[in-house]
Amino acid sequence: MAFIERDGGHIFYEVLGPESGAPNLIFLHGGGGNATTWWQQIDHFSKDHRICVIDNRGFGRSHPVNEYGMNINLFPGDVLAVADAVGINEFGLVCQSLGAWTGLRLVRQVPDRIWAFVGCSSPMGVDYPKAIEDAMTFALSLAEKGEGIEDAALSEKFRKDNPNGFYLYRHLNMFNLAVVRGADFGVTPQMLLGSMFGPDNQIPPTELGDVNVPTLILGGSEDQLVSPETTTAIAGFFDDAELHIFEGSGHSPYFEMPDAFNQLVGNWLAKQR
């Protein structure tokens, strides 16, 4: 296993695929996952890309964490440190949920290094009232039902038709110190979502018009955390982003509909090279 040390963090990463001659692609997981959650994408994309998967600090094999379980402001620097360590100068980004918060900040910080940006099921920290409303409604629903984020993130159909996948999805998150440590401190999903949507973490929508990296925005029609309306609005803030909503998927199309996700993203990425 490979790690880098940065700013007090011990960050896990793995590089797969051709050693040279292939475009680089970095996958950034969501708040309920870690690098392992991309298991249905790794074989597909590593055939013609040099791919890198990373555990955010506090997730999977990376540590440490703060008392609130994670510090999203450190994530972009961690990604760049990994890229530099393995000699990745230019790369595409495939980002799920929380990963797209990091991805958008990288697109704004180092656009010359990024050849494509895919953001899935994420408000990306854009200051859009409906995104905040979605998150708070979702958090209140969890409290009322006594569910965890992973329990409600997937579509009802997937949970019913694929109990093994549902079990795996839920338990992958149990390997994340950001969740376990947060629970030790009494941090609830409502508190985590509230901190993420704090004013210091928000990007004005007007600033997205300056993004000149090819962008694909994805979502699920049954997503309870990031509604299709919010996903569509976020895509519209970019000057030239493409949009696709996976019909019947919940918050994680990459996990719920991997074949459709892989084909659509793969075809789109191919057009950007």
Side-chain angles (χ1 to χ4, degrees):
M1 292 192 294
F3 295 85
I4 62 159
E5 308 294 325
R6 176 189 175 267
D7 200 7
H10 185 64
I11 313 301
F12 168 84
Y13 68 90
E14 186 174 16
V15 178
L16 306 103
E19 294 185 5
S20 62
N24 297 303
L25 201 55
I26 297 177
F27 286 78
L28 301 179
H29 63 78
N34 47 59
T36 307
T37 58
W38 297 111
W39 63 277
Q40 296 176 102
Q41 282 68 53
I42 286 174
D43 180 66
H44 180 89
F45 287 98
S46 65
K47 292 175 181 176
D48 50 12
H49 297 84
R50 185 186 185 214
I51 71 169
C52 179
V53 293
I54 300 171
D55 283 342
N56 283 334
R57 60 176 68 212
F59 293 78
R61 290 141 288 196
S62 296
H63 60 81
V65 294
N66 64 12
E67 65 273 21
Y68 288 104
M70 60 184 179
N71 185 340
I72 62 175
N73 296 316
L74 293 173
F75 294 167
D78 291 343
V79 173
L80 291 177
V82 169
D84 292 343
V86 298
I88 293 176
N89 182 49
E90 186 183 29
F91 50 90
L93 288 169
V94 178
C95 310
Q96 165 65 19
S97 195
L98 175 64
W101 292 61
T102 303
L104 179 58
R105 283 146 185 79
L106 288 169
V107 163
R108 299 176 73 228
Q109 292 171 16
V110 291
D112 293 343
R113 295 186 64 173
I114 302 172
W115 58 268
F117 170 49
V118 180
C120 184
S121 302
S122 179
M124 295 185 261
V126 176
D127 189 7
Y128 178 61
K130 182 64 166 63
I132 300 173
E133 178 186 331
D134 287 348
M136 294 302 105
T137 299
F138 180 73
L140 289 173
S141 175
L142 295 182
E144 291 173 359
K145 298 177 182 178
E147 294 181 326
I149 291 177
E150 303 77 26
D151 296 309
L154 302 173
S155 70
E156 289 187 15
K157 186 176 189 306
F158 182 90
R159 285 181 279 170
K160 179 180 179 181
D161 295 348
N162 195 337
N164 292 334
F166 179 35
Y167 179 90
L168 177 61
Y169 186 86
R170 291 172 60 222
H171 283 265
L172 280 171
N173 195 30
M174 297 301 104
F175 293 96
N176 295 329
L177 286 174
V179 175
V180 176
R181 181 75 180 275
D184 288 344
F185 281 87
V187 178
T188 65
Q190 293 81 5
M191 294 170 66
L192 283 175
L193 289 171
S195 68
M196 288 173 61
F197 283 92
D200 292 342
N201 293 325
Q202 299 298 292
I203 297 173
T206 53
E207 295 187 8
L208 299 190
D210 296 332
V211 171
N212 58 10
V213 173
T215 298
L216 174 64
I217 303 298
L218 305 173
S221 66
E222 307 304 312
D223 192 346
Q224 299 180 59
L225 178 54
V226 185
S227 68
E229 293 80 9
T230 291
T231 298
T232 301
I234 296 294
F237 293 136
F238 294 85
D239 276 352
D240 196 29
E242 296 186 41
L243 169 70
H244 181 83
I245 303 295
F246 289 92
E247 192 63 36
S249 178
H251 187 60
S252 299
Y254 76 100
F255 197 97
E256 299 174 64
M257 300 180 172
D259 292 340
F261 179 93
N262 293 347
Q263 181 177 5
L264 187 143
V265 172
N267 289 343
W268 184 82
L269 289 172
K271 296 176 183 178
Q272 312 311 315
R273 300 300 296 172

